[in-house]
Amino acid sequence: MTAKSKDNPNAALALIEPNRYLALEQGGRDIAAELAEILGGAQLTQFDLTRARVPGGGGLSWQIVADPPDEIKVLRGVIIYQTLQRAYWSTTFEMSHGGSPPDCSSHDSNTGYGTPGGDCYTCPLSFFKSDQRGRGQACKLMRVIFLMVPGERLPMAVTLPPTSVNSSKAYLLSLTSKGYRYWAVETELTLRSTKNEEGIAYAVATARAVGALSPEDAERAHTLGLSLSKHINTISTDYAVLNETPA
């Protein structure tokens, strides 16, 4: 069977087989209830989840931060929640060795907390050419994707650095244009290599829809994303993600 877009009936995605995703078998409310009990009022952070990040040097395999660590060419799953966030460090990666939290951060890319804090849109550190190289933003914009993967009840946190924000936005907008919700499709995430103006290679994330959930499973995925979003602290302190992808 296939699911067709109401805006583009010629674009069809194959329906995903039932029970492919363990997280959908019970629904998001049950998982959220378990998390509330386990966390005892605390929030779930990205560092509590299996994480995937873009490698340095233009590598084409995702780095899986888990125990044990791993690498994988293709990530496939359902995006149940995604958010834009910002982080600013006053010291360089070399000086801090990547171990310090950001001086200012924003979980929604709108309001910063810390120093200098305030409105992100009017903050000079969010302007292009404000970084030390006079090219990018000193306060980095990232997209965090929470990807439901087969065989796991909790999502994987995929952090996309500034160089992959536009490509991910283009994908999400293309789904909207075709009449799909991002939580209603199975997404495949891969990497392509490119170079900056100085000839330094880095990888950019690319995404495409490869399957569709049934209406019932799509609703469960949406419920799961909404439920988990209440327990997830999306502020990232993973400075390595930013250091490994030059603008």
Side-chain angles (χ1 to χ4, degrees), residues 52-115:
R53 65 189 188 194
V54 176
L60 299 181
S61 293
W62 294 92
Q63 292 183 339
I64 306 301
V65 184
D67 187 16
D70 198 3
E71 293 185 355
I72 188 171
K73 288 280 189 182
V74 179
L75 295 176
R76 179 175 290 195
V78 177
I79 301 171
I80 57 172
Y81 179 60
Q82 59 83 34
T83 182
L84 287 171
Q85 61 182 46
R86 285 189 174 276
Y88 166 70
W89 285 265
S90 59
T91 58
T92 65
F93 180 83
E94 290 76 16
M95 291 178 62
S96 69
H97 303 290
S100 62
D103 295 277
C104 186
S105 57
S106 172
H107 69 277
D108 59 5
S109 77
N110 295 321
T111 304
Y113 297 93
T115 305

Side-chain angles (χ1 to χ4, degrees), residues 174-212:
S174 72
L175 290 178
T176 300
S177 180
K178 293 174 181 177
Y180 291 112
R181 303 283 192 170
Y182 64 75
W183 60 80
V185 302
E186 188 175 50
T187 295
E188 183 180 273
L189 294 167
T190 56
L191 298 168
R192 64 177 177 86
S193 184
T194 187
K195 294 182 179 180
N196 67 3
E197 295 177 357
E198 298 170 350
I200 300 175
Y202 64 97
V204 174
T206 62
R208 69 185 184 104
V210 294

